[in-house]
């Protein structure tokens, strides 16, 4: 029987890789997309097949996490076996500017979707995109049992989503899990997250199109992995018998400064010649260090990150350099990860 999945946030970085993964596994994939005045499907355009074609396996539906009745309708129409809730206002710095909107989508949006699942009465497995931002001020290493201490409106909204997911599991017996994912990046990463901002700047500086890039705090530490590997972990979380929560991470932390050094060196440049400070990129409260302990995922799911932060920096620089040279689109980098066995 063909399995059916619903992905919210399918137009985002993770949604696009997850859609690729599930299609490669033979799933029928349904994605929630927001109506916008310009197209917002660039990351998944390469997967699109006209729905009139009998071979079509990807179907897109307009909707929004702020619109609960639409979510109820979609759940009963699609009747998915698996729901992946990846949609969110996901930018930490922006959440300080738009705290209420962030609470509504990143927080309350989750309970709207969980209610739609519950009311549908369908035996759906539910994945919630939780975040290492939950740990915030608690020092590393961080794992599933580490105390949460959110440091932004984004993290506070994700904290609500984490607990409401757990509560629906305990209260209603839903198969609902939290994937507590540490930072994961790729050539498809949004352009205003620090890694992609850096790798795009490296490409532009190398091409002589700009001289400087302006950044905020470059002393913070993050555990950066490759997004294409992390969606495999999400899928594995929904394949085990009992629902549980898992952290996904590489286990290694780098400073933003380390990432800068590797990215600039990769094209023969010295980062110190090109990086300037701008206080507008500082956050009112910063998360100083996130380094995950992924041993539970390794033991129970057989999941392990294979790409480290340095490799990731080089891979992203290469994609942005080649995108600039060829006017290509960096998100069409259909991933070949032989180790996962889903070519
Ligand atoms: P992303 O690239 O920012 O994608 C976010 C997705 O959510 C986009 O498809 C966006 O649609 C959609 N969205 C935003 N608001 C929505 C709303 N109100 N209704 C419906 N859809 C909405 O994020 P990502 O990096 O792929 O991350 C996926 C999820 O994992 C997010 O929940 C994020 O918070 C979480 N997470 C990410 C990381 C990471 O390092 N990447 C780590 C931990 C957790 P548009 O394209 O229309 O804007
Ligand atoms: O910042 C510093 C910044 O915005 C990383 C999201 O996917 O991962 C992500 O959140 C670090 C921070 O990611 C700039 O202060 C310096 O210390 O790339 P980021 P994030 O805040 O870690 C978590 C796990 C999520 O869940 C989120 O959804 O870099 N930094 N200068 C900067 N950051 C940005 N964006 N821009 C700068 O100019």
């Amino acid at each position: 029987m063909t399995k059916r999945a619903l992905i919210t946030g399918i137009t985002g970085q993770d949604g696009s890789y997850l859609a690729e993964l599930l299609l490669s596994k033979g799933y029928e994939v349904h994605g929630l997309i927001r109506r916008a005045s310009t197209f917002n499907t660039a990351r998944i355009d390469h997967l699109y097949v006209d729905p009139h074609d009998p071979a079509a396996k990807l179907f897109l539906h307009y909707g929004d996490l702020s619109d609960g009745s639409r979510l109820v309708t979609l759940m009963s129409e699609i009747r998915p076996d698996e729901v992946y809730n990846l949609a969110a206002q996901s930018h930490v710095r922006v959440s300080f500017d738009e705290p209420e909107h962030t609470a509504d989508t990143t927080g309350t949006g989750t309970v709207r979707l969980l209610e739609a699942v519950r009311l549908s009465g369908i035996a759906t497995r539910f994945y919630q995109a939780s975040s290492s931002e939950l740990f915030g001020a608690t020092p590393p290493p961080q794992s599933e049992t580490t105390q949460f201490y959110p440091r932004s409106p984004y993290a506070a909204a994700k904290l609500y989503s984490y607990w409401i997911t757990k509560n629906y599991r305990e209260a209603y017996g839903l198969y609902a899990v939290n994937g507590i994912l540490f930072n994961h990046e790729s050539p498809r990463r949004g352009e205003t997250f620090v890694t992609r901002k850096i790798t795009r700047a490296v490409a532009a500086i190398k091409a002589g199109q700009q001289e400087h890039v302006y950044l905020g705090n470059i002393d913070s530490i993050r555990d950066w992995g490759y997004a294409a590997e992390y969606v495999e972990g999400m899928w594995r979380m929904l394949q085990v018998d009992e629902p549980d929560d898992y952290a996904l991470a590489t286990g290694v932390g780098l400073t933003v400064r380390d990432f800068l050094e590797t990215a600039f060196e990769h094209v023969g440049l010295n980062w110190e010649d090109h990086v300037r400070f701008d206080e507008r990129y500082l956050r009112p409260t910063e998360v100083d260090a996130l380094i995950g302990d992924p041993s539970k995922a390794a033991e129970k799911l057989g999941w392990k990150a294979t790409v480290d932060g340095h490799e990731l920096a080089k891979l992203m620089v290469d994609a942005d350099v080649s995108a600039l040279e060829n006017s290509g689109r960096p998100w069409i980098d259909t991933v070949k990860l032989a180790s996962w066995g889903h070519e």
Side-chain angles (χ1 to χ4, degrees):
M1 277 251 297
T2 302
K3 274 198 174 177
R4 216 173 297 132
L6 170 64
I7 305 175
T8 73
I10 194 168
T11 55
Q13 171 188 256
D14 292 4
S16 67
Y17 284 116
L18 181 65
E20 264 171 26
L21 176 74
L22 297 180
L23 288 169
S24 78
K25 290 183 182 294
Y27 279 61
E28 181 179 299
V29 176
H30 294 256
L32 187 77
I33 59 166
R34 297 197 284 180
R35 195 271 156 182
S37 66
T38 50
F39 287 124
N40 56 4
T41 54
R43 290 189 182 98
I44 51 169
D45 282 348
H46 62 294
L47 301 175
Y48 186 76
V49 174
D50 185 329
H52 302 99
D53 184 332
K57 290 273 213 171
L58 172 65
F59 303 94
L60 302 178
H61 309 266
Y62 284 116
D64 197 297
L65 283 191
S66 61
D67 182 355
S69 63
R70 178 65 176 146
L71 299 177
V72 170
T73 304
L74 284 175
M75 272 304 298
S76 58
E77 280 179 10
I78 299 168
R79 303 182 68 79
D81 300 289
E82 295 171 9
V83 173
Y84 296 85
N85 184 31
L86 309 186
Q89 189 304 92
S90 73
H91 202 285
V92 173
R93 177 66 192 84
V94 172
S95 78
F96 288 97
D97 299 329
E98 299 187 0
E100 192 178 331
H101 169 72
T102 304
D104 191 38
T105 56
T106 307
T108 314
T110 305
V111 78
R112 290 193 190 99
L113 190 56
L114 280 165
E115 268 297 274
V117 169
R118 185 176 76 84
L119 293 171
S120 74
I122 303 162
T124 298
R125 294 188 170 201
F126 182 92
Y127 173 88
Q128 170 57 23
S130 284
S131 166
S132 54
E133 280 291 306
L134 297 175
F135 302 120
T138 309
Q142 296 111 348
S143 73
E144 298 81 2
T145 52
T146 300
Q147 194 178 350
F148 297 140
Y149 191 149
R151 294 270 285 172
S152 65
Y154 167 80
K158 283 285 184 191
L159 186 74
Y160 172 76
S161 287
Y162 170 92
W163 282 113
I164 200 69
T165 299
K166 218 170 159 98
N167 179 249
Y168 270 55
R169 179 162 86 212
E170 292 169 0
Y172 304 116
L174 290 189
Y175 190 113
V177 311
N178 284 291
I180 308 171
L181 270 52
F182 285 68
N183 299 53
H184 45 280
E185 322 287 312
S186 73
R188 303 181 197 182
R189 184 57 144 152
E191 289 84 347
T192 60
F193 295 95
V194 78
T195 54
R196 188 76 198 291
K197 183 170 169 180
I198 292 169
T199 60
R200 286 182 85 225
V202 168
I205 291 167
K206 179 176 179 276
Q209 294 182 1
Q210 79 184 56
E211 201 169 335
H212 297 118
V213 59
Y214 291 85
L215 297 175
N217 173 24
I218 61 171
D219 293 321
S220 55
I221 297 171
R222 290 293 183 273
D223 179 332
W224 282 297
Y226 186 25
E229 297 192 319
Y230 284 53
V231 299
E232 170 77 26
M234 294 178 189
W235 176 77
R236 288 187 185 205
M237 286 181 214
L238 293 194
Q239 311 313 311
V240 288
D241 291 340
E242 290 300 319
D244 203 349
D245 305 324
Y246 299 90
L248 300 186
T250 69
V252 178
L254 304 183
T255 59
V256 176
R257 191 186 298 268
D258 293 330
F259 191 94
L260 275 168
E261 197 171 290
T262 301
F264 276 85
E265 256 180 23
H266 190 51
V267 296
L269 295 171
N270 179 353
W271 70 272
E272 284 167 301
D273 296 335
H274 300 284
V275 175
R276 297 283 182 271
F277 172 71
D278 185 335
E279 66 178 11
R280 92 177 68 175
Y281 300 114
L282 297 177
R283 288 132 195 228
T285 40
E286 176 64 286
V287 170
D288 294 329
L290 294 173
I291 308 172
D293 169 3
S295 42
K296 181 175 171 185
E299 190 195 321
K300 308 263 187 204
L301 306 176
W303 182 91
K304 195 172 179 331
T306 68
V307 178
D308 69 22
H310 295 291
E311 244 184 291
L312 183 65
K314 293 180 202 164
L315 167 166
M316 290 174 67
V317 167
D318 287 342
D320 277 322
V321 166
S322 106
L324 201 63
E325 282 172 359
N326 309 318
S327 300
R329 291 178 297 174
W331 40 82
I332 305 190
D333 67 330
T334 304
V335 181
K336 300 246 181 300
L337 289 170
S339 58
W340 295 121
H342 58 78
E343 288 302 289

